[in-house]
């Protein structure tokens, strides 16, 4: 990478991870393995159902398909290595491998933040402008929004990774985390990191707060529109279409804010690993479960794909 410091003394890091729970390593391995397999299976089911069900060939489910694929890649960057380290005596990772993991982790994480905001805009158009929905949310616009989210996400990841890799690492190499995240790695730098930390904090605000504010604005219009619906049943159905998305928004942006909206890396602590488990394992599992269990269209399409009888009124 362009910002890689070739004069760095440290050539590899030790990922401390859950080393303090030495007697629970095998149990943790089984738990994370089962969770990982469930994540892959759940997201694969969502993508398969959307792909083979013509009734789900709409922009909203197209965005959900891309989000499920991105979440699967996101967990692939972190969990397999965690599983290896849980059963290994050596928990080392090379500088280049650490930088690579950091880049792809940040790339998919940023992309997911933008995709969730795009899905919020989709809900705004569907509820506030239902008659013009197909005209506004065209295939061209949908592909453009997905491409913009991906390119912007990985560009920000590249900038952040270069800022961190450009730091000088000459002393301790024990990363107090189970993967290479920004704050734990920055803590090991030998030089003054104040300016770069400020730049990274600004990027975090851009990635987390800007999409979140756009979602809040979208739902402000959505709530205003729903309140104008005369029937209680109509209001209930309108709120139901947003419930799944709101659940994902709350967990995703909530955990990201706790970890990344802090001005100094020194504020990182052991408790961050528990929060990290939420946004690296629980959230990717939550997305397909929420959208399948709370979404009648997905459940109906899944039954049809599996050849199960579908109740019709």
């Amino acid at each position: 990478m362009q910002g890689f410091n070739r004069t760095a003394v440290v050539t590899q890091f030790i990922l401390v991870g859950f080393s303090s729970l030495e007697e629970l390593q095998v149990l943790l391995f089984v738990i994370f393995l089962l969770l990982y397999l469930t994540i892959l299976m759940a997201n694969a089911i969502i993508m398969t159902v959307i792909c083979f069900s013509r009734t789900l060939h709409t922009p909203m489910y197209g965005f959900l398909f891309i989000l499920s694929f991105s979440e699967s890649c996101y967990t692939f960057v972190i969990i397999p290595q965690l599983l290896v380290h849980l059963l290994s005596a050596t928990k080392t990772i090379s500088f280049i491998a650490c930088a690579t993991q950091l880049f792809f982790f940040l790339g998919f994480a940023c992309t997911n933040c933008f995709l969730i905001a795009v899905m919020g805009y989709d809900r705004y158009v569907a509820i506030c402008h239902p008659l013009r929905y197909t005209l506004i949310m065209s295939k061209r616009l949908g592909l453009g929004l997905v491409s913009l989210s991906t390119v912007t996400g990985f560009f920000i990841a590249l900038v952040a990774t270069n800022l961190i890799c450009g730091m000088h690492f000459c002393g301790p190499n024990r990363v107090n985390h189970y993967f290479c995240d920004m704050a734990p790695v920055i803590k090991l730098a030998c030089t003054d990191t104040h300016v770069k930390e400020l730049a990274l904090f600004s990027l975090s605000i851009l990635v987390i707060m800007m999409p979140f504010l756009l979602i809040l604005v979208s739902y402000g219009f959505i709530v205003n529109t729903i309140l104008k619906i005369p029937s209680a049943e109509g209001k209930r159905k309108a709120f139901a279409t947003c419930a799944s998305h709101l659940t994902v928004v709350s967990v995703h942006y909530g955990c990201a804010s706790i970890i990344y909206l802090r001005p100094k890396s020194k504020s990182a602590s052991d408790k961050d690993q528990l929060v990290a488990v939420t946004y690296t394992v629980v959230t990717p599992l939550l997305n397909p479960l929420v959208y399948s269990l709370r979404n009648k269209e997905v459940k109906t399409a899944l039954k049809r794909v599996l050849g199960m009888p579908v109740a019709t009124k």
Side-chain angles (χ1 to χ4, degrees):
M1 293 186 179
Q2 185 178 357
F4 178 65
N5 190 344
R6 297 183 184 275
T7 62
V9 175
V10 174
T11 58
Q12 65 180 15
F13 293 110
I14 299 174
L15 296 176
V16 176
F18 302 101
S19 299
S20 59
L21 304 174
E22 186 175 353
E23 67 282 359
L24 299 176
Q25 297 292 292
V26 175
L27 177 60
L28 288 173
F29 173 83
V30 173
I31 292 173
F32 279 111
L33 177 61
L34 292 176
L35 287 172
Y36 182 52
L37 293 177
T38 305
I39 290 169
L40 294 181
M41 182 177 66
N43 281 294
I45 290 174
I46 287 289
M47 290 187 287
T48 302
V49 169
I50 293 174
C51 184
F52 286 99
S53 179
R54 295 182 62 86
T55 59
L56 301 183
H57 290 180
T58 62
M60 180 180 78
Y61 294 108
F63 296 140
L64 178 58
F65 181 96
I66 300 299
L67 180 63
S68 295
F69 176 77
S70 181
E71 292 280 21
S72 299
C73 296
Y74 171 78
T75 55
F76 178 75
V77 174
I78 299 170
I79 300 182
Q81 179 190 260
L82 169 62
L83 294 173
V84 172
H85 282 181
L86 284 172
L87 296 183
S88 174
T90 58
K91 307 180 188 299
T92 58
I93 182 172
S94 69
F95 197 105
I96 294 295
C98 183
T100 302
Q101 184 185 56
L102 179 64
F103 168 71
F104 282 104
F105 162 71
L106 292 176
F108 286 115
C110 294
T111 299
N112 293 343
C113 281
F114 297 136
L115 282 175
I116 293 173
V118 168
M119 294 173 75
Y121 174 71
D122 175 80
R123 291 299 82 209
Y124 157 74
V125 176
I127 293 177
C128 298
H129 304 283
L131 299 180
R132 300 173 55 199
Y133 177 75
T134 54
L135 181 63
I136 297 175
M137 292 302 298
S138 62
K139 184 176 181 180
R140 181 178 180 180
L141 177 61
L143 291 174
L145 290 174
V146 169
S147 300
L148 181 63
S149 298
T150 305
V151 172
T152 305
F154 277 90
F155 176 75
I156 292 174
L158 180 63
V159 172
T161 305
N162 278 331
L163 284 173
I164 295 173
C165 291
M167 298 176 183
H168 188 63
F169 298 92
C170 60
N173 66 339
R174 293 175 64 84
V175 179
N176 188 25
H177 216 316
Y178 58 87
F179 69 96
C180 290
D181 202 358
M182 292 195 297
V185 174
I186 292 173
K187 287 184 68 176
L188 303 179
C190 300
T191 54
D192 181 24
T193 61
H194 178 73
V195 175
K196 290 187 176 182
E197 281 190 84
L198 185 60
L200 291 169
F201 181 64
S202 300
L203 288 176
S204 298
I205 293 176
L206 173 65
V207 172
I208 298 173
M209 292 307 300
M210 290 301 293
F212 183 67
L213 289 176
L214 289 175
I215 292 173
L216 288 182
V217 171
S218 297
Y219 273 99
F221 286 108
I222 288 172
V223 171
N224 183 57
T225 301
I226 291 176
L227 292 178
K228 294 179 181 178
I229 298 176
S231 67
E233 181 66 16
K235 291 179 181 179
R236 188 191 64 79
K237 288 183 178 180
F239 275 119
T241 61
C242 302
S244 301
H245 184 251
L246 281 174
T247 303
V248 172
V249 167
S250 301
V251 176
H252 187 91
Y253 289 101
C255 293
S257 299
I258 293 173
I259 295 296
Y260 298 106
L261 293 187
R262 295 183 301 195
K264 292 185 178 181
S265 63
K266 293 181 177 59
S267 58
S269 66
D270 294 337
K271 295 180 181 179
D272 288 353
Q273 291 196 54
L274 298 177
V275 181
V277 169
T278 302
Y279 67 77
T280 58
V281 180
V282 177
T283 301
L285 178 61
L286 179 69
N287 289 347
L289 292 180
V290 167
Y291 279 105
S292 60
L293 295 177
R294 296 183 61 90
N295 192 301
K296 185 177 179 180
E297 289 180 321
V298 173
K299 288 190 289 186
T300 302
L302 178 59
K303 289 180 180 179
R304 285 174 177 165
V305 170
L306 295 177
M308 297 173 61
V310 179
T312 57
K313 292 184 179 181

